[in-house]
Amino acid sequence: MNKTYLFSLLVLLFCGLSFTACNDQDYQENNLGMDPLTLTAEQSADVLQEINHAANALTLNWTTGNNGGTGNRIYYTLQLAKAGTHFAEPYAALSQEVQTYSWSVSQESLNALVLDQFGGTPGQKCDIEARVLTQTPGWEKTLSDSLSFSVTPYQPVTTTLYLIGDATPNGWNADNATAMERVDNGIFEWEGNLKTGALKFITTKGQFLPSYNKGTDGQAVLRTSDSEPDEQWQIEENHYYKVEANLLTGDITFTQAEGNRPAFDHLYFVGNMTDWNFETMTPDALDPYLFRIGRVFDKGGEFKFGTTKGSWENMYKATVDNAPYTDTHMQFVSGYDPDHKWFLKDEETGKAYKICVDIRKGQERMLMKAFTPYSTIWMVGDATPAGWSIDNATALQATDNPYIFTWTGTLNAGELKFTCDKRSDWNGAWFLCAAGNDKEPTGQTEKMLFIDKSDEELKNQYLDINVGDIDQKWKISQSGTYTITLNQLSETVSIVKQ
């Protein structure tokens, strides 16, 4: 055979193979007409445990299947149902997705699914069936494959916990019990002053039962009846304490601390532009001494900051009358006078501002700056369609409101965050997860953390934190269709699974 002819034939063959590889995902190849649809499972845990709530419990994978030689896209639906129900009322894990061949679920999400959707009982094995179905335009045939797996769910512990007792700030008043902060599943923290005396924990404000009491080994035990022992922990010395409660292990710790906390947990913006109503400011996610608010100012006038809603005492004020909004000086006034306020001129209104207030004693300051919204917001991360490629980051869609962006599409299991400028060195402006790193979205509107690693003014707002080291992302544990709504003025986001 002629060598030139042979070389040309090989080139044509290579090009043909390359063309096929580039177009398989677009379903342009008609040779998808014979491949079977096969569903397989990778089960990481069949007995679920809340202590492992964030770990993967199950991954379902399926092959491409075929499109009957039509060359059209294949749409996949993944359903789960309690075994023996013949999918009479299935749960749709995925619905009409394209180019999706896997679905993963965490132990916590699968546990909720078994209990809420399939009537499972904690501690008892529940048999589940899964099936994947295909639908191809131009082809009447529906392909399907199914499999079964078993899972034993757990009873989740409470999501709220309160301190109660004569050692606590509010005594034995269950209606005014001291709330602890939920750090993770079953893990709660609180810091504050405790007195000599006894205390325990209740799960519901206003109700003495259920409660967590001190067991014979010092561990926390759940008490659900008045007939059960009512042992309590004893505080031996008046002091500032850090209290940590792990209901999954039963460990309760009381650690004496120095009490490095701000004087107030709440701050309110009030002035002519609020009609002298108190607007709640947001505590900063990194620095508890900072409070923030973003709003559009349609009218000007005086303003100051309150520490108790509706109270004109104990306020943070300007140091001179009619101080310009660029004046950073601020003072704490325990009574009513002096009553110096900042003043925003009418010609300075008609736009948005963001305000940061620092209430460190002796270092009080008010930082206010006009805010120009970003024209585009993108998301990156292995949960997003473009992965970690910042050059190809997925853009959110603009709305009629210049501050609000939205997006609906498929997210994979993995991390995500939002970039405002797509800087290739990753040191630009970001909206990050305020709750911490690798935190599951709440499914509700939640606060974000705005960091601009290239903005010296913003970096200088943090006196003790290097913002260049902050990289807190959301963690999607369950792949599927999500709708994202992001407000860059209020710095809030909702990431909702459909």
Side-chain angles (χ1 to χ4, degrees):
M1 180 182 294
N2 183 284
K3 290 183 178 181
T4 302
Y5 176 80
L6 178 60
F7 176 80
S8 300
L9 183 61
L10 291 173
V11 169
L12 288 172
L13 179 60
F14 176 80
C15 291
L17 290 172
S18 299
F19 181 81
T20 299
C22 292
N23 286 277
D24 274 348
Q25 291 297 79
D26 292 329
Y27 300 98
Q28 296 302 310
E29 284 297 307
N30 290 336
N31 63 4
L32 292 179
M34 301 301 294
D35 295 335
L37 178 68
T38 304
L39 177 66
T40 57
E42 299 174 11
Q43 190 164 5
S44 304
D46 53 1
V47 177
L48 306 180
Q49 297 177 308
E50 190 164 12
I51 198 169
N52 300 322
H53 65 94
N56 186 62
L58 176 74
T59 297
L60 297 176
N61 302 298
W62 53 92
T63 58
T64 303
N66 69 81
N67 57 13
T70 62
N72 295 328
R73 287 176 176 267
I74 304 174
Y75 293 82
Y76 300 94
T77 294
L78 178 66
Q79 297 177 338
L80 284 81
K82 189 173 183 179
T85 63
H86 305 291
F87 294 92
E89 296 182 356
Y91 168 78
L94 294 174
S95 181
Q96 297 292 295
E97 298 285 344
V98 296
Q99 297 182 4
T100 301
Y101 311 103
S102 181
W103 177 79
S104 298
V105 62
S106 67
Q107 291 202 30
E108 181 175 16
S109 296
L110 183 57
N111 190 77
L113 191 62
V114 172
L115 294 179
D116 300 339
Q117 295 287 333
F118 306 140
T121 301
Q124 296 183 17
K125 184 177 70 171
C126 182
D127 296 323
I128 307 296
E129 292 179 331
R131 70 177 177 183
V132 62
L133 307 166
T134 69
Q135 184 176 0
T136 305
W139 193 37
E140 295 181 355
K141 186 174 181 180
T142 296
L143 303 181
S144 68
D145 193 30
S146 61
L147 55 79
S148 300
F149 62 93
S150 298
V151 63
T152 301
Y154 58 83
Q155 179 62 52
V157 298
T158 179
T159 59
T160 56
L161 196 66
Y162 302 86
L163 286 163
I164 190 171
D166 48 32
T168 69
N170 299 316
W172 289 104
N173 184 351
D175 293 325
N176 198 28
T178 301
M180 301 186 71
E181 179 185 359
R182 183 177 184 265
V183 178
D184 202 346
N185 289 42
I187 300 176
F188 299 85
E189 293 181 353
W190 177 82
E191 291 187 28
N193 293 312
L194 294 177
K195 299 170 287 187
T196 301
L199 64 82
K200 59 180 179 179
F201 306 89
I202 59 175
T203 65
T204 307
K205 184 175 284 190
Q207 300 180 17
F208 288 96
L209 292 173
S211 65
Y212 280 90
N213 291 65
K214 184 178 181 180
T216 55
D217 56 358
Q219 300 287 92
V221 293
L222 182 64
R223 181 173 182 259
T224 59
S225 169
D226 287 328
S227 63
E228 295 174 324
D230 191 18
E231 295 297 318
Q232 297 140 24
W233 288 268
Q234 296 293 322
I235 301 300
E236 304 295 339
E237 180 183 359
N238 292 0
H239 207 281
Y240 186 96
Y241 287 85
K242 180 176 182 179
V243 182
E244 299 173 278
N246 188 328
L247 303 183
L248 303 182
T249 63
D251 293 325
I252 306 293
T253 60
F254 302 91
T255 306
Q256 291 188 354
E258 292 303 313
N260 185 23
R261 291 182 62 85
F264 301 97
D265 294 326
H266 304 283
L267 208 64
Y268 304 89
F269 175 78
V270 59
N272 288 117
M273 54 285 297
T274 70
D275 295 325
W276 296 104
N277 294 311
F278 286 65
E279 290 187 2
T280 304
M281 302 183 71
T282 301
D284 187 87
L286 302 178
D287 187 339
Y289 291 89
L290 302 183
F291 293 82
R292 300 182 181 277
I293 190 171
R295 72 188 312 274
V296 175
F297 285 76
D298 291 322
K299 65 178 180 179
E302 299 175 320
F303 65 90
K304 54 186 175 178
F305 304 90
T307 59
T308 302
K309 196 168 188 177
S311 174
W312 303 104
E313 294 184 278
N314 299 321
M315 302 191 80
Y316 287 96
K317 305 177 181 181
T319 56
V320 296
D321 261 332
N322 296 325
Y325 78 87
T326 54
D327 186 350
T328 63
H329 296 92
M330 186 174 75
Q331 63 180 334
F332 175 71
V333 179
S334 59
Y336 297 98
D337 296 311
D339 194 24
H340 303 310
K341 297 176 280 291
W342 289 270
F343 190 88
L344 189 69
K345 301 175 183 178
D346 288 340
E347 58 265 31
E348 295 170 331
T349 62
K351 55 185 174 182
Y353 289 83
K354 287 191 176 182
I355 301 174
C356 173
V357 173
D358 188 341
I359 64 171
R360 281 178 174 81
K361 188 174 182 179
Q363 303 181 67
E364 295 90 345
R365 54 191 176 138
M366 194 282 295
L367 307 168
M368 181 172 175
K369 185 178 181 180
F371 174 66
T372 302
Y374 293 96
S375 59
T376 308
I377 304 290
W378 300 264
M379 61 179 174
V380 295
D382 53 3
T384 70
W388 287 110
S389 173
I390 197 166
D391 291 335
N392 298 314
T394 302
L396 277 63
Q397 283 77 51
T399 67
D400 294 336
N401 187 321
Y403 306 106
I404 297 176
F405 290 81
T406 187
W407 179 85
T408 298
T410 299
L411 292 178
N412 304 310
E415 299 175 322
L416 72 84
K417 56 182 177 178
F418 302 93
T419 173
C420 305
D421 50 19
K422 290 179 65 179
R423 280 187 54 148
S424 59
D425 62 0
W426 298 76
N427 285 320
W430 296 91
F431 283 114
L432 305 176
C433 178
N437 189 41
D438 282 349
K439 296 294 185 180
E440 183 80 5
T442 64
Q444 307 294 322
T445 299
E446 61 184 282
K447 296 300 294 187
M448 299 185 294
L449 170 64
F450 176 73
I451 291 292
D452 190 343
K453 301 182 180 183
S454 65
D455 185 348
E456 292 301 320
E457 288 187 30
L458 186 138
K459 289 193 288 185
N460 289 334
Q461 292 178 5
Y462 294 96
L463 299 182
D464 303 315
I465 298 170
N466 179 10
V467 300
D469 296 334
I470 306 302
D471 188 27
Q472 299 179 176
K473 302 171 287 292
W474 287 270
K475 184 65 174 286
I476 304 298
S477 63
Q478 186 174 343
S479 58
T481 301
Y482 287 77
T483 293
I484 298 174
T485 304
L486 183 150
N487 187 321
Q488 57 177 316
L489 180 58
S490 64
E491 299 181 358
T492 57
V493 69
S494 64
I495 305 173
V496 183
K497 192 174 187 304
Q498 302 304 296

